């Protein structure tokens, strides 16, 4: 069972292929998600560890790409989720939308309705940092 928790959107002054390249490389998470302290490759994806307090102090991420969509599937954390990034071009910019889905019925374990606005804000802050990082790369490539 999947439950959509929220969506966020940003416009980025960078090529959509560059943004997709960043999203497709989990090691790049260290550049735009400040609470991630390590990203280690494992046989079934990437093991992510965070510094400081977080709902998922550690988790395993698997990445799937399909055209303009890059999907992060998180397991082995307190909250298992799917984060889908959709990237497309509009007026010489990249539009990045993220949609967060809870994979399992977490409502019995966690107060999801209370956590949703906090998570939405945290993910949006990271999405803005992704945009800034992509713009920095685009500026350095010119």
């Amino acid at each position: 069972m999947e439950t959509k928790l929220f969506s966020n959107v940003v416009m980025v002054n960078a090529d959509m292929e560059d943004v997709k390249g960043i999203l497709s490389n989990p090691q790049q998470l260290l550049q735009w998600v400040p609470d991630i302290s390590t990203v280690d490759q494992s046989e079934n994806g990437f093991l992510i560890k965070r510094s400081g307090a977080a709902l998922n102090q550690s988790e395993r991420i698997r990445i799937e790409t399909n055209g303009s969509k890059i999907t992060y599937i998180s397991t082995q954390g307190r909250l298992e989720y799917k984060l889908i990034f959709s990237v497309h071009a509009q007026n010489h910019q990249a539009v990045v939308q993220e949609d967060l889905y809870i994979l399992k019925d977490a409502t019995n374990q966690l107060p999801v309705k209370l956590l949703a606005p906090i998570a939405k804000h945290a993910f949006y802050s990271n999405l803005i940092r992704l945009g800034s990082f992509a713009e920095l790369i685009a500026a350095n490539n010119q």
Side-chain angles (χ1 to χ4, degrees):
M1 178 180 159
E2 286 183 10
T3 304
K4 186 173 182 178
L5 206 55
F6 60 80
S7 294
N8 288 315
V9 178
V10 295
M11 297 199 62
V12 180
N13 289 314
D15 183 76
M16 69 177 254
E17 293 303 322
D18 290 340
V19 174
K20 286 169 45 180
I22 293 167
L23 289 169
S24 298
N25 180 352
Q27 293 295 334
Q28 296 287 349
L29 286 165
L30 294 165
Q31 303 299 318
W32 57 277
V33 183
D35 65 333
I36 291 181
S37 56
T38 61
V39 177
D40 295 321
Q41 188 158 6
S42 68
E43 47 184 89
N44 294 331
F46 294 85
L47 184 60
I48 308 289
K49 293 194 178 183
R50 289 180 174 77
S51 58
L55 188 59
N56 284 352
Q57 198 67 42
S58 66
E59 63 189 312
R60 185 169 312 280
I61 300 272
R62 193 175 80 244
I63 296 179
E64 296 177 356
T65 57
N66 183 5
S68 65
K69 293 186 188 293
I70 295 97
T71 303
Y72 290 14
I73 301 164
S74 170
T75 57
Q76 299 179 2
R78 286 182 60 201
L79 182 66
E80 295 189 348
Y81 62 88
K82 184 187 294 185
L83 182 62
I84 301 173
F85 294 96
S86 303
V87 184
H88 68 276
Q90 180 179 325
N91 298 327
H92 308 290
Q93 293 183 310
V95 178
V96 184
Q97 177 173 327
E98 65 180 4
D99 299 300
L100 184 81
Y101 295 85
I102 296 172
L103 291 181
K104 292 183 178 176
D105 185 13
T107 55
N108 295 337
Q109 304 161 334
L110 298 167
V112 174
K113 295 262 191 221
L114 295 175
L115 291 173
I118 297 165
K120 180 179 171 85
H121 177 73
F123 275 79
Y124 184 64
S125 295
N126 288 337
L127 191 61
I128 290 171
R129 280 189 280 278
L130 166 69
S132 296
F133 180 58
E135 289 173 354
L136 180 65
I137 289 174
N140 287 337
N141 289 339
Q142 291 182 351

